[in-house]
Amino acid sequence: MSTIYDVAALAQVSPATVSRVINGSSVSPEKAERVRAAAEELSFVPNRTARSLRRRSSNMIALVIPDIENPFFTVIARGVEDRAREAGYSVVLCNTDEDSTKEAAYFDIAVLEHMAGVIVAPASDASDLDRIASAGRPLVAVDRRSHDRRVDSVVIDNPAAGREATEALIAQGRRRIACITGPESVETAQLRLEGWRSSMTAHGLDTAGLERHADFRVLGGRAAMRELLALPQPPDAVVATNNMMAIGALQALHEGGIRSGDIAVASLGDLPSAPVMPENTLVIDLPARALGITAAEVLLRRIAGTESAPETIVLGTGD
Amino acid sequence: MSTIYDVAALAQVSPATVSRVINGSSVSPEKAERVRAAAEELSFVPNRTARSLRRRSSNMIALVIPDIENPFFTVIARGVEDRAREAGYSVVLCNTDEDSTKEAAYFDIAVLEHMAGVIVAPASDASDLDRIASAGRPLVAVDRRSHDRRVDSVVIDNPAAGREATEALIAQGRRRIACITGPESVETAQLRLEGWRSSMTAHGLDTAGLERHADFRVLGGRAAMRELLALPQPPDAVVATNNMMAIGALQALHEGGIRSGDIAVASLGDLPSAPVMPENTLVIDLPARALGITAAEVLLRRIAGTESAPETIVLGTGD
DNA sequence: GTGAAAGCGCTAACAA
DNA sequence: TTGTTAGCGCTTTCAC
């Protein structure tokens, strides 16, 4: 493990010059070359910890997501990671289980570790993003906006996604279409629900009693579907506003012995690789990877020091 | 952001004493109390970067896995993370896509970042674990042993898992049982295959032409199953040595229009949450979480300085 | 038990 | 453009 002093000695320059070469400041060509040769010779690699200490910022980015078992978020993670790594940053993946307490603990760590920035899919509207913002760390919300409008957000056009799913079911001839959405405290859940509602009313269809709030997870989707099945007049289709609840809904249909085709399910977002896709299932692709890439780009820009007002980037579902 | 100097000044002791209190060295009770009060007062938290620089070791652990989309590995990750976090370490998740080059890049980062240790499910037997070992960083292989016998390993009893799956199929009355396993360069794949083979021969069943090597992924499993279906005499069951290949095999069966029940599939490891589990499917539970927890414990012990000879811990499939 | 002082390896003023 | 120097915040000898 050689240091810039070793390199400086071998190249017969000062440590500062070595540092400049590493960081791309202006150095005369011949000295730069000597430094490069010396660094090569000693297989020198800069000590990132020392750099972080001095710069008061590391090259780690925290990515805080609510559910690592959900492929939607792992795809986002891969998008973030690919872009971040290109820029020389490492990504620390933090899983919160939709739990704001766990989330807060991760935020504290991010600050303590002097992480360069944080990308978060907030567990709820109550997420304490201020913990990060007030510490002056760049922060980007992804997939879900925060109530804190000071932070950048990268989201999907959620109402459009809700409408798209609903329209597709209507086009299949479905009329009594229910919607299973996420917690009321998550804006994404509300917006997708609104998309469904607007499509329904636009087509003159009744929505009364057909909304259900669940938890964005399999069990919640299943329970909600069971309730819908128990209605005096069950739906003939359902929009699940995320993939996990769609799986839960399909499970409930299967348990209930519903004939495939009697009730159609539209999922917002790809299902985890399944052996067989049930025929009555419709998937609306969500641009998860683009979400991750874009969030990383916005964050990197903030890390680089861009000072513009916080922005919300809305990605179309077709992206 | 206060420092130990601020705390020292307020408590009227030297910075060294503050450091000692933080790290639990012997300090007189009254001074210790003064320091604690001062730290509380200033809401002091030690700067981890400075500590890492000084100690030449951070409190980050790298977890390098081949496939973040595979729930088997995410469950391992959660096991690792839970245990690591208890001990005050953060976990950096690194996804290699079964690619040794990507893996090597992560190893380099782990060394550069002075990470406290690395847990890896090696992409192949050719994985260059020496990169870490020779840098003196603690290293534990999980799920897959390395050819490098200097490192600790935590694995499943793979032959037993292979046998268990095979015996279960035999108990169902299956006789012509194929095996789709992973790459030849991955020991885990070989051992599970051997488990299958030993059960087959123990029951006097023929194994000729019924082995397939794939890549532990959905597409590979599907292709292998197609080949098996194209055999003059196709199998009546198949053991897939991991969950993703089991999904691929089931897909191939579905595409091939095979009646459910004609060919049974046994999967080593839980399937990702699926809407419906096909009836002809059998899952052998693998103790993924225990794998993660145990690997973390072994690593933490090494980080703490245990100097015993490298060990291989084999977890029973019943654990 | 406690404090003074010397760094860990790097970067950023400040001079030259 | 280049070098000198002073830290970033912490830990750890080494004296006392």
Side-chain angles (χ1 to χ4, degrees):
Chain A
M1 279 279 129
S2 46
T3 74
I4 48 169
Y5 289 92
D6 303 325
V7 176
L10 185 58
Q12 310 206 52
V13 297
S14 76
T17 300
V18 177
S19 173
R20 289 184 186 111
V21 173
I22 298 167
N23 296 291
S25 307
S26 56
V27 171
S28 77
E30 59 270 43
K31 290 206 174 177
E33 193 37 58
R34 287 214 316 265
V35 169
R36 258 187 288 278
E40 171 79 15
E41 167 76 21
L42 299 170
S43 58
F44 164 80
V45 268
N47 181 319
R48 298 193 185 200
T49 309
R51 173 180 290 177
S52 299
L53 178 59
R54 181 61 228 229
R55 290 209 188 143
R56 297 145 164 278
S57 171
S58 80
N59 49 356
M60 297 268 187
I61 289 172
L63 174 59
V64 184
I65 58 174
D67 184 6
I68 198 182
E69 315 264 339
N70 183 339
F72 177 69
F73 291 112
T74 56
V75 171
I76 288 181
R78 301 186 61 158
V80 168
E81 167 146 23
D82 289 349
R83 192 55 101 245
R85 204 161 285 284
E86 276 176 24
Y89 289 85
S90 300
V91 177
V92 184
L93 237 192
C94 309
N95 182 58
T96 66
D97 283 321
E98 304 269 6
D99 174 349
S100 297
T101 313
K102 259 183 145 178
E103 193 181 54
Y106 281 117
F107 288 170
D108 286 343
I109 289 172
V111 173
L112 281 182
E113 292 276 358
H114 293 288
M115 296 213 188
V118 177
I119 297 176
V120 59
S124 85
D125 251 9
S127 290
D128 188 8
L129 302 191
D130 190 62
R131 273 186 141 82
I132 313 244
S134 65
R137 295 282 109 177
L139 172 62
V140 174
V142 69
D143 180 49
R144 308 175 179 180
R145 286 201 302 175
S146 148
H147 65 288
D148 190 332
R149 294 288 174 265
R150 296 173 307 173
V151 310
D152 295 298
S153 301
V154 180
V155 296
I156 287 167
D157 186 344
N158 288 306
R163 287 194 302 272
E164 197 180 325
T166 312
E167 300 288 343
L169 289 170
I170 292 172
Q172 278 189 4
R174 309 288 173 171
R175 287 295 171 267
R176 191 162 166 73
I177 304 169
C179 182
I180 300 176
T181 193
E184 307 203 41
S185 64
V186 178
E187 191 195 40
T188 296
Q190 299 292 2
L191 294 175
R192 292 179 183 175
L193 180 69
E194 280 169 29
W196 161 81
R197 197 183 291 125
S198 74
S199 273
M200 292 294 279
T201 50
H203 287 266
L205 298 173
D206 194 16
T207 62
L210 292 176
E211 302 178 17
R212 287 293 179 283
H213 282 278
D215 57 0
F216 275 143
R217 318 193 83 146
V218 174
L219 259 37
R222 183 153 65 167
M225 190 71 237
R226 282 208 200 105
E227 280 180 35
L228 290 169
L229 288 178
L231 287 175
Q233 204 189 340
D236 62 0
V238 58
V239 172
T241 64
N242 89 336
N243 53 358
M244 298 317 241
M245 295 192 303
I247 288 172
L250 286 163
Q251 288 177 350
L253 292 181
H254 186 250
E255 285 165 19
I258 308 299
R259 268 210 322 271
S260 173
D262 277 3
I263 300 183
V265 175
S267 167
L268 260 46
D270 239 0
L271 268 27
S273 43
V276 179
M277 175 75 84
E279 302 129 35
N280 56 336
T281 310
L282 196 77
V283 168
I284 306 297
D285 273 324
L286 260 26
R289 193 180 153 74
L291 226 37
I293 290 176
T294 311
E297 283 169 352
V298 172
L299 185 72
L300 289 169
R301 229 175 289 141
R302 291 293 176 196
I303 290 172
T306 309
E307 285 293 358
S308 54
E311 55 182 336
T312 294
I313 297 180
V314 178
L315 265 35
T317 50
D319 289 8
Chain B
M1 279 280 128
S2 46
T3 74
I4 49 170
Y5 288 92
D6 304 324
V7 176
L10 185 57
Q12 312 205 53
V13 297
S14 77
T17 299
V18 177
S19 173
R20 289 186 186 110
V21 172
I22 298 168
N23 296 291
S25 305
S26 57
V27 171
S28 76
E30 59 269 45
K31 290 204 174 176
E33 194 35 59
R34 282 203 333 254
V35 168
R36 257 187 288 277
E40 172 77 16
E41 168 77 22
L42 299 170
S43 59
F44 165 79
V45 267
N47 180 319
R48 298 192 185 200
T49 310
R51 174 180 288 177
S52 297
L53 177 59
R54 183 58 230 235
R55 291 210 187 138
R56 296 145 166 281
S57 171
S58 81
N59 49 356
M60 296 268 185
I61 289 173
L63 174 60
V64 184
I65 58 175
D67 183 7
I68 198 181
E69 314 265 339
N70 184 340
F72 176 70
F73 291 111
T74 58
V75 171
I76 289 181
R78 301 186 61 159
V80 168
E81 167 146 23
D82 289 349
R83 193 52 103 245
R85 204 161 286 284
E86 275 175 23
Y89 289 86
S90 300
V91 176
V92 184
L93 237 192
C94 310
N95 181 59
T96 66
D97 283 321
E98 305 270 5
D99 174 347
S100 297
T101 313
K102 259 183 146 177
E103 193 180 56
Y106 281 118
F107 288 170
D108 287 343
I109 289 172
V111 172
L112 282 182
E113 292 276 0
H114 293 287
M115 297 212 186
V118 177
I119 297 176
V120 59
S124 84
D125 250 11
S127 290
D128 189 6
L129 303 191
D130 190 62
R131 272 184 141 84
I132 313 242
S134 64
R137 295 282 107 177
L139 172 62
V140 174
V142 69
D143 179 52
R144 308 176 179 180
R145 286 202 300 176
S146 148
H147 67 287
D148 190 331
R149 294 290 175 263
R150 295 172 308 172
V151 310
D152 295 298
S153 300
V154 180
V155 295
I156 287 167
D157 186 345
N158 289 306
R163 287 195 302 270
E164 197 180 324
T166 314
E167 300 287 345
L169 290 170
I170 292 173
Q172 280 190 3
R174 309 289 173 171
R175 287 295 170 268
R176 192 164 165 73
I177 303 168
C179 183
I180 301 177
T181 194
E184 307 203 42
S185 63
V186 179
E187 191 196 38
T188 296
Q190 299 291 2
L191 293 175
R192 293 179 182 176
L193 180 68
E194 279 169 29
W196 161 80
R197 197 183 291 123
S198 73
S199 273
M200 291 294 279
T201 50
H203 286 265
L205 298 173
D206 194 15
T207 61
L210 293 176
E211 303 177 18
R212 287 292 179 284
H213 282 277
D215 57 359
F216 275 142
R217 320 194 81 148
V218 174
L219 260 36
R222 182 152 65 166
M225 189 73 236
R226 282 208 199 106
E227 279 181 35
L228 289 169
L229 288 178
L231 251 34
Q233 203 189 340
D236 63 0
V238 58
V239 172
T241 64
N242 89 336
N243 52 358
M244 298 318 243
M245 294 193 303
I247 288 171
L250 286 163
Q251 288 177 350
L253 291 182
H254 187 251
E255 286 164 17
I258 307 299
R259 268 211 320 273
S260 173
D262 277 3
I263 300 184
V265 175
S267 167
L268 261 46
D270 239 0
L271 268 28
S273 44
V276 180
M277 174 76 85
E279 301 128 37
N280 55 336
T281 310
L282 198 75
V283 168
I284 306 297
D285 272 325
L286 259 28
R289 193 180 152 75
L291 226 37
I293 290 175
T294 310
E297 282 169 352
V298 172
L299 185 72
L300 289 169
R301 229 176 289 141
R302 290 295 177 194
I303 291 171
T306 310
E307 285 292 359
S308 54
E311 54 182 336
T312 294
I313 297 179
V314 178
L315 264 36
T317 50
D319 290 7

